[in-house]
Amino acid sequence: MKHFENIIIGFGKAGKTLAGSLTKNGQEVLLIEKDSAMYGGTCINVACLPSKNMIINAQRGTCYDEAIATKNRLVDKLRNKNYHKVADQENATVLRADVSFIDDYTIEVSDDSGQETVIGDKIFINTGSTPVLPNVQGLKNSQHVFTSKTLLDQTQQTKNIAILGDGPIGLEFAAMYAKFGSQVTVIGQNKMILNQLEPEIANAAKEDMMTDGVQFLLNSQLTKVTDMVNGIILDIDTPNGGKTLHVDALLVATGRRANTDDLHLERTNIKTGSHGEILVNDVLETNVTNIFAMGDVKGGPQFTYISLDDWRILNSQFFGDQTRTRANRPVFANTIFLNPAISSVGQTEAQLQKKEQPYKIFQMLTAGVPKAQVIGNPRGSYKVLVDEKTHQILGATIYAEEAYETINVISLAMQNNLPAEALRDQIYTHPTMTEALNDLFAEL
């Protein structure tokens, strides 16, 4: 039985970065990843970076074949770089193998060469999340049903695609495929898309997507999937009755859950939640001493930048001043990469009304920002909610070009308790989308 100081299960953002910290401090690390195509984690291989690369190329007018080739070159480059970033460290070993727990600190690893048992003083679980497939007749056995991961592997463009799910992932793919020229239908169970956002901005995004050719079947339920030689038939219950849709493929984007099924945690004392997520405290330790969980597998916000912050928490605990925890995680925003992107941070107007918290609204159309005209995409608007007395920012939603950059300025102001006047009076370079903040708060 081999013994290691540290065993990291999963080559995700938090795990690979932690491996670097541990080896830098002279500690021994075994990093185990079951899929060599996932070195570097979900983000660089099958999610954030490849999908955003495809979205950008679609918006540039690049043909699908060229976009796929570009995406594959990017992923191969990043995967190789990430592998060597860990594997080349003197104290690190990267092992491609399946993992299952035997007890709290003992795991069995198996690969083509056989099985082996290893034990770790500290074990870090970083296995991420996996797509949820709903229990719809015929869906799980269909040859024409894809997840976001498997759809990105398709070298030929799907010309007529349905997307089950009206959340961020489904809508990003819908906007992307529409830009590539595909016929796109979104099937959603909610009455409106993006119901966690400001409703007027969500509705504006829907209208713009419809202009781009996306069709919506909302407040609807997929009831049956039937494979055909030339595609797939979908039976859908809509508010106007039953509808049959014949498409080439179906993308299922109905959420993700913690990827723990194959770990056999039932053989351990590690506690999990109702969706399989591993329960952790504020410093990411499970109920079992020296066993930690990081990234999506622990539940909570499923963003790669949260996984990176999980590393910061552990790095602070092991090698820093031990002040950083989940409880004092900085303010962070969220972006949905549509055309243009929608970025949000903090609370919505509905949330403030429910709390009966006094606020002021500052709004403006994106068309009033010179850079939007320069880019040639004046769609969208800005909406920021400010405390009535202190003028501190309570929440913001930006539907505009480069919203994902501007929102970080607002997040920084919120984190440091700066009043909106600080953003109003700042001198920004020109022409930029961020200088919209001068005009947005002009009446403050």
Side-chain angles (χ1 to χ4, degrees):
M1 185 182 297
K2 290 185 178 179
H3 173 270
F4 292 88
E5 286 182 86
N6 302 281
I7 297 176
I8 300 173
I9 305 171
F11 209 134
K13 185 72 171 181
K16 68 184 181 186
T17 315
L18 179 63
S21 294
L22 293 169
T23 56
K24 182 181 178 180
N25 283 274
Q27 295 190 26
E28 177 188 41
V29 175
L30 171 65
L31 197 162
I32 310 170
E33 171 56 54
K34 70 177 182 178
D35 186 353
S36 59
M38 291 296 289
Y39 290 145
T42 298
C43 177
I44 70 162
N45 288 290
V46 298
C48 323
L49 300 191
S51 67
K52 303 316 175 278
N53 183 253
M54 291 284 288
I55 288 169
I56 289 170
N57 277 303
Q59 293 175 356
R60 288 173 175 169
T62 307
C63 72
Y64 182 86
D65 291 351
E66 185 179 341
I68 280 287
T70 301
K71 181 268 295 184
N72 288 341
R73 288 193 297 270
L74 172 69
V75 170
D76 288 345
K77 175 183 177 181
L78 294 175
R79 181 187 300 144
N80 183 63
K81 179 180 178 181
N82 275 266
Y83 170 78
H84 285 287
K85 200 169 185 178
V86 177
D88 291 352
Q89 299 300 315
E90 183 177 353
N91 295 333
T93 301
V94 176
L95 177 65
R96 191 213 61 77
D98 292 316
V99 171
S100 62
F101 276 83
I102 295 175
D103 57 38
D104 285 346
Y105 302 100
T106 311
I107 61 177
E108 183 179 81
V109 296
S110 57
D111 58 18
D112 295 338
S113 62
Q115 296 178 339
E116 187 176 15
T117 303
V118 297
I119 188 170
D121 296 336
K122 291 188 179 72
I123 298 178
F124 304 88
I125 304 172
N126 186 218
T127 51
S129 60
T130 190
V132 174
L133 295 180
N135 190 23
V136 174
Q137 183 180 346
L139 186 146
K140 294 182 181 179
N141 295 322
S142 172
Q143 300 299 307
H144 303 289
V145 168
F146 298 90
T147 64
S148 57
K149 176 184 183 296
T150 57
L151 190 61
L152 282 173
D153 290 335
Q154 300 307 301
T155 56
Q156 292 187 334
Q157 180 179 351
T158 303
K159 297 293 187 179
N160 186 351
I161 186 169
I163 297 174
L164 182 63
D166 51 21
I169 294 176
L171 294 179
E172 286 187 352
F173 273 86
M176 177 181 72
Y177 268 83
K179 275 295 183 181
F180 279 128
S182 297
Q183 184 176 340
V184 181
T185 304
V186 173
I187 306 165
Q189 65 179 4
N190 298 302
K191 293 183 179 180
M192 62 180 291
I193 67 170
L194 304 174
N195 55 16
Q196 77 277 19
L197 298 180
E198 300 287 3
E200 65 270 35
I201 290 180
N203 285 328
K206 179 191 171 189
E207 293 296 322
D208 288 337
M209 291 182 72
M210 291 174 66
T211 298
D212 291 342
V214 178
Q215 301 178 53
F216 288 90
L217 293 174
L218 297 180
N219 198 19
S220 300
Q221 296 286 339
L222 177 65
T223 59
K224 185 180 179 182
V225 168
T226 305
D227 267 15
M228 305 291 288
V229 174
N230 60 341
I232 187 171
I233 293 177
L234 309 176
D235 291 342
I236 307 163
D237 283 343
T238 78
N240 299 318
K243 183 178 178 64
T244 299
L245 201 62
H246 188 181
V247 295
D248 298 328
L250 172 69
L251 167 64
V252 177
T254 50
R256 300 174 67 86
R257 62 179 176 81
N259 195 13
T260 56
D261 289 351
D262 296 333
L263 295 178
H264 290 287
L265 296 179
E266 72 277 2
R267 300 170 183 166
T268 74
N269 292 298
I270 300 169
K271 292 183 179 179
T272 59
S274 57
H275 299 288
E277 72 278 14
I278 297 175
L279 303 179
V280 296
N281 61 19
D282 277 346
V283 293
L284 305 176
E285 190 171 25
T286 69
N287 61 296
V288 180
T289 303
N290 285 333
I291 298 183
F292 302 81
M294 313 171 292
D296 291 359
V297 75
K298 73 180 190 312
Q302 295 180 346
F303 303 119
T304 191
Y305 45 87
I306 296 300
S307 295
L308 180 61
D309 199 59
D310 286 351
W311 162 76
R312 294 189 186 102
I313 291 170
L314 291 173
N315 198 57
S316 171
Q317 295 301 314
F318 297 151
F319 309 116
D321 58 10
Q322 299 185 328
T323 58
R324 193 143 188 166
T325 70
R326 294 173 75 198
N328 60 21
R329 204 189 290 278
V331 173
F332 62 91
N334 174 40
T335 294
I336 305 164
F337 289 81
L338 304 180
N339 180 32
I342 303 176
S343 296
S344 59
V345 65
Q347 301 173 85
T348 63
E349 188 174 359
Q351 290 171 326
L352 293 177
Q353 288 175 346
K354 187 175 181 180
K355 294 168 59 177
E356 298 183 351
Q357 183 171 354
Y359 62 92
K360 292 182 178 181
I361 304 175
F362 294 88
Q363 292 176 292
M364 67 177 287
L365 294 175
T366 305
V369 185
K371 179 65 179 295
Q373 301 295 338
V374 171
I375 295 172
N377 187 5
R379 287 176 170 180
S381 62
Y382 294 67
K383 181 176 182 179
V384 179
L385 308 169
V386 173
D387 184 272
E388 199 171 73
K389 293 182 179 179
T390 66
H391 293 179
Q392 290 183 0
I393 298 170
L394 304 173
T397 306
I398 302 175
Y399 177 40
E401 286 286 346
E402 301 176 11
Y404 38 80
E405 302 289 357
T406 304
I407 203 70
N408 288 328
V409 176
I410 294 176
S411 298
L412 187 63
M414 293 174 66
Q415 175 65 26
N416 290 279
N417 299 314
L418 298 178
E421 287 90 341
L423 300 182
R424 179 197 64 188
D425 299 336
Q426 179 63 31
I427 298 175
Y428 304 99
T429 54
H430 174 80
T432 61
M433 297 302 295
T434 308
E435 65 181 335
L437 300 177
N438 291 142
D439 293 333
L440 179 64
F441 297 120
E443 300 301 319
L444 189 62

mmCIF file of all heavy atoms in Angstrom, residues 22-46:
data_model
loop_
_atom_site.group_PDB
_atom_site.id
_atom_site.type_symbol
_atom_site.label_atom_id
_atom_site.label_comp_id
_atom_site.label_asym_id
_atom_site.label_seq_id
_atom_site.Cartn_x
_atom_site.Cartn_y
_atom_site.Cartn_z
ATOM 1 N N LEU A 22 1.034 23.043 -2.723
ATOM 2 C CA LEU A 22 1.581 21.991 -1.864
ATOM 3 C C LEU A 22 3.008 21.632 -2.264
ATOM 4 O O LEU A 22 3.900 21.519 -1.406
ATOM 5 C CB LEU A 22 0.687 20.757 -1.926
ATOM 6 C CG LEU A 22 -0.726 20.922 -1.321
ATOM 7 C CD1 LEU A 22 -1.597 19.728 -1.676
ATOM 8 C CD2 LEU A 22 -0.657 21.103 0.192
ATOM 9 N N THR A 23 3.240 21.444 -3.556
ATOM 10 C CA THR A 23 4.587 21.082 -4.003
ATOM 11 C C THR A 23 5.564 22.228 -3.792
ATOM 12 O O THR A 23 6.734 22.004 -3.466
ATOM 13 C CB THR A 23 4.579 20.669 -5.483
ATOM 14 O OG1 THR A 23 4.013 21.723 -6.280
ATOM 15 C CG2 THR A 23 3.761 19.401 -5.684
ATOM 16 N N LYS A 24 5.081 23.457 -3.984
ATOM 17 C CA LYS A 24 5.936 24.622 -3.748
ATOM 18 C C LYS A 24 6.416 24.672 -2.309
ATOM 19 O O LYS A 24 7.524 25.154 -2.018
ATOM 20 C CB LYS A 24 5.163 25.903 -4.092
ATOM 21 C CG LYS A 24 5.967 27.186 -3.921
ATOM 22 C CD LYS A 24 5.116 28.404 -4.266
ATOM 23 C CE LYS A 24 5.880 29.698 -4.046
ATOM 24 N NZ LYS A 24 5.034 30.892 -4.379
ATOM 25 N N ASN A 25 5.582 24.156 -1.407
ATOM 26 C CA ASN A 25 5.944 24.147 0.010
ATOM 27 C C ASN A 25 6.563 22.818 0.443
ATOM 28 O O ASN A 25 6.583 22.498 1.625
ATOM 29 C CB ASN A 25 4.707 24.460 0.853
ATOM 30 C CG ASN A 25 4.344 25.932 0.846
ATOM 31 O OD1 ASN A 25 4.869 26.716 1.634
ATOM 32 N ND2 ASN A 25 3.457 26.318 -0.065
ATOM 33 N N GLY A 26 7.047 22.071 -0.553
ATOM 34 C CA GLY A 26 7.817 20.878 -0.251
ATOM 35 C C GLY A 26 7.008 19.644 0.087
ATOM 36 O O GLY A 26 7.568 18.642 0.550
ATOM 37 N N GLN A 27 5.694 19.679 -0.132
ATOM 38 C CA GLN A 27 4.871 18.525 0.199
ATOM 39 C C GLN A 27 4.653 17.631 -1.017
ATOM 40 O O GLN A 27 4.692 18.076 -2.158
ATOM 41 C CB GLN A 27 3.522 18.995 0.773
ATOM 42 C CG GLN A 27 3.643 19.727 2.089
ATOM 43 C CD GLN A 27 2.294 19.952 2.750
ATOM 44 O OE1 GLN A 27 1.350 19.205 2.532
ATOM 45 N NE2 GLN A 27 2.207 20.990 3.577
ATOM 46 N N GLU A 28 4.385 16.383 -0.734
ATOM 47 C CA GLU A 28 4.188 15.371 -1.766
ATOM 48 C C GLU A 28 2.712 15.320 -2.167
ATOM 49 O O GLU A 28 1.820 15.379 -1.312
ATOM 50 C CB GLU A 28 4.629 14.019 -1.193
ATOM 51 C CG GLU A 28 4.436 12.841 -2.100
ATOM 52 C CD GLU A 28 4.717 11.554 -1.357
ATOM 53 O OE1 GLU A 28 4.306 11.456 -0.175
ATOM 54 O OE2 GLU A 28 5.340 10.656 -1.939
ATOM 55 N N VAL A 29 2.459 15.209 -3.480
ATOM 56 C CA VAL A 29 1.088 15.212 -3.981
ATOM 57 C C VAL A 29 0.887 14.094 -4.989
ATOM 58 O O VAL A 29 1.697 13.897 -5.901
ATOM 59 C CB VAL A 29 0.751 16.563 -4.669
ATOM 60 C CG1 VAL A 29 -0.637 16.510 -5.294
ATOM 61 C CG2 VAL A 29 0.850 17.711 -3.693
ATOM 62 N N LEU A 30 -0.203 13.350 -4.820
ATOM 63 C CA LEU A 30 -0.701 12.443 -5.846
ATOM 64 C C LEU A 30 -1.999 13.033 -6.370
ATOM 65 O O LEU A 30 -2.966 13.198 -5.614
ATOM 66 C CB LEU A 30 -0.956 11.046 -5.272
ATOM 67 C CG LEU A 30 -1.692 10.070 -6.216
ATOM 68 C CD1 LEU A 30 -0.846 9.756 -7.442
ATOM 69 C CD2 LEU A 30 -2.096 8.789 -5.484
ATOM 70 N N LEU A 31 -2.031 13.399 -7.654
ATOM 71 C CA LEU A 31 -3.238 13.934 -8.269
ATOM 72 C C LEU A 31 -3.794 12.874 -9.214
ATOM 73 O O LEU A 31 -3.123 12.440 -10.145
ATOM 74 C CB LEU A 31 -2.932 15.227 -9.037
ATOM 75 C CG LEU A 31 -4.133 16.113 -9.401
ATOM 76 C CD1 LEU A 31 -3.677 17.525 -9.755
ATOM 77 C CD2 LEU A 31 -4.940 15.559 -10.566
ATOM 78 N N ILE A 32 -5.037 12.450 -8.965
ATOM 79 C CA ILE A 32 -5.643 11.374 -9.746
ATOM 80 C C ILE A 32 -6.775 11.938 -10.610
ATOM 81 O O ILE A 32 -7.666 12.641 -10.103
ATOM 82 C CB ILE A 32 -6.207 10.275 -8.828
ATOM 83 C CG1 ILE A 32 -5.169 9.835 -7.803
ATOM 84 C CG2 ILE A 32 -6.672 9.082 -9.656
ATOM 85 C CD1 ILE A 32 -5.735 8.941 -6.716
ATOM 86 N N GLU A 33 -6.737 11.640 -11.881
ATOM 87 C CA GLU A 33 -7.786 12.055 -12.817
ATOM 88 C C GLU A 33 -8.173 10.851 -13.671
ATOM 89 O O GLU A 33 -7.300 10.204 -14.256
ATOM 90 C CB GLU A 33 -7.299 13.207 -13.703
ATOM 91 C CG GLU A 33 -8.220 13.578 -14.842
ATOM 92 C CD GLU A 33 -9.624 13.923 -14.384
ATOM 93 O OE1 GLU A 33 -9.769 14.809 -13.508
ATOM 94 O OE2 GLU A 33 -10.572 13.294 -14.904
ATOM 95 N N LYS A 34 -9.457 10.550 -13.736
ATOM 96 C CA LYS A 34 -9.870 9.329 -14.442
ATOM 97 C C LYS A 34 -9.897 9.480 -15.960
ATOM 98 O O LYS A 34 -9.897 8.483 -16.682
ATOM 99 C CB LYS A 34 -11.247 8.876 -13.947
ATOM 100 C CG LYS A 34 -12.418 9.764 -14.345
ATOM 101 C CD LYS A 34 -13.721 9.161 -13.866
ATOM 102 C CE LYS A 34 -14.919 9.996 -14.276
ATOM 103 N NZ LYS A 34 -16.191 9.379 -13.838
ATOM 104 N N ASP A 35 -9.906 10.714 -16.457
ATOM 105 C CA ASP A 35 -10.032 10.950 -17.892
ATOM 106 C C ASP A 35 -8.904 11.863 -18.358
ATOM 107 O O ASP A 35 -8.840 13.028 -17.961
ATOM 108 C CB ASP A 35 -11.396 11.592 -18.189
ATOM 109 C CG ASP A 35 -11.679 11.735 -19.675
ATOM 110 O OD1 ASP A 35 -10.775 11.454 -20.483
ATOM 111 O OD2 ASP A 35 -12.810 12.124 -20.016
ATOM 112 N N SER A 36 -8.016 11.347 -19.194
ATOM 113 C CA SER A 36 -6.884 12.156 -19.655
ATOM 114 C C SER A 36 -7.340 13.343 -20.497
ATOM 115 O O SER A 36 -6.583 14.299 -20.681
ATOM 116 C CB SER A 36 -5.915 11.294 -20.464
ATOM 117 O OG SER A 36 -6.564 10.722 -21.588
ATOM 118 N N ALA A 37 -8.577 13.306 -21.002
ATOM 119 C CA ALA A 37 -9.120 14.433 -21.757
ATOM 120 C C ALA A 37 -9.623 15.541 -20.839
ATOM 121 O O ALA A 37 -10.109 16.570 -21.310
ATOM 122 C CB ALA A 37 -10.255 13.972 -22.674
ATOM 123 N N MET A 38 -9.496 15.322 -19.514
ATOM 124 C CA MET A 38 -9.970 16.316 -18.547
ATOM 125 C C MET A 38 -8.826 16.902 -17.724
ATOM 126 O O MET A 38 -9.080 17.552 -16.704
ATOM 127 C CB MET A 38 -11.023 15.696 -17.625
ATOM 128 C CG MET A 38 -12.333 15.380 -18.321
ATOM 129 S SD MET A 38 -13.178 16.849 -18.940
ATOM 130 C CE MET A 38 -13.710 17.573 -17.385
ATOM 131 N N TYR A 39 -7.586 16.680 -18.144
ATOM 132 C CA TYR A 39 -6.481 17.325 -17.449
ATOM 133 C C TYR A 39 -6.686 18.847 -17.522
ATOM 134 O O TYR A 39 -6.818 19.418 -18.598
ATOM 135 C CB TYR A 39 -5.142 16.970 -18.087
ATOM 136 C CG TYR A 39 -4.714 15.532 -17.890
ATOM 137 C CD1 TYR A 39 -4.006 14.854 -18.887
ATOM 138 C CD2 TYR A 39 -5.000 14.852 -16.715
ATOM 139 C CE1 TYR A 39 -3.599 13.532 -18.708
ATOM 140 C CE2 TYR A 39 -4.603 13.539 -16.536
ATOM 141 C CZ TYR A 39 -3.908 12.878 -17.527
ATOM 142 O OH TYR A 39 -3.514 11.573 -17.344
ATOM 143 N N GLY A 40 -6.689 19.478 -16.362
ATOM 144 C CA GLY A 40 -6.958 20.907 -16.302
ATOM 145 C C GLY A 40 -8.352 21.227 -15.821
ATOM 146 O O GLY A 40 -8.637 22.350 -15.434
ATOM 147 N N GLY A 41 -9.260 20.241 -15.864
ATOM 148 C CA GLY A 41 -10.590 20.441 -15.325
ATOM 149 C C GLY A 41 -11.656 20.742 -16.367
ATOM 150 O O GLY A 41 -11.388 20.867 -17.567
ATOM 151 N N THR A 42 -12.881 20.877 -15.876
ATOM 152 C CA THR A 42 -14.051 21.093 -16.732
ATOM 153 C C THR A 42 -13.939 22.371 -17.538
ATOM 154 O O THR A 42 -14.234 22.401 -18.740
ATOM 155 C CB THR A 42 -15.325 21.127 -15.869
ATOM 156 O OG1 THR A 42 -15.489 19.863 -15.217
ATOM 157 C CG2 THR A 42 -16.552 21.417 -16.715
ATOM 158 N N CYS A 43 -13.505 23.446 -16.908
ATOM 159 C CA CYS A 43 -13.534 24.769 -17.527
ATOM 160 C C CYS A 43 -12.776 24.805 -18.845
ATOM 161 O O CYS A 43 -13.303 25.247 -19.866
ATOM 162 C CB CYS A 43 -12.976 25.820 -16.572
ATOM 163 S SG CYS A 43 -12.899 27.472 -17.291
ATOM 164 N N ILE A 44 -11.545 24.328 -18.839
ATOM 165 C CA ILE A 44 -10.736 24.479 -20.054
ATOM 166 C C ILE A 44 -11.039 23.407 -21.095
ATOM 167 O O ILE A 44 -10.732 23.587 -22.278
ATOM 168 C CB ILE A 44 -9.229 24.474 -19.737
ATOM 169 C CG1 ILE A 44 -8.765 23.077 -19.304
ATOM 170 C CG2 ILE A 44 -8.879 25.507 -18.708
ATOM 171 C CD1 ILE A 44 -7.274 22.900 -19.402
ATOM 172 N N ASN A 45 -11.647 22.306 -20.685
ATOM 173 C CA ASN A 45 -11.847 21.194 -21.611
ATOM 174 C C ASN A 45 -13.234 21.134 -22.224
ATOM 175 O O ASN A 45 -13.371 20.873 -23.422
ATOM 176 C CB ASN A 45 -11.546 19.864 -20.897
ATOM 177 C CG ASN A 45 -10.071 19.669 -20.640
ATOM 178 O OD1 ASN A 45 -9.291 19.466 -21.554
ATOM 179 N ND2 ASN A 45 -9.672 19.750 -19.373
ATOM 180 N N VAL A 46 -14.260 21.350 -21.416
ATOM 181 C CA VAL A 46 -15.618 21.113 -21.921
ATOM 182 C C VAL A 46 -16.611 22.214 -21.543
ATOM 183 O O VAL A 46 -17.802 22.067 -21.814
ATOM 184 C CB VAL A 46 -16.159 19.757 -21.413
ATOM 185 C CG1 VAL A 46 -15.297 18.622 -21.909
ATOM 186 C CG2 VAL A 46 -16.246 19.729 -19.883
#
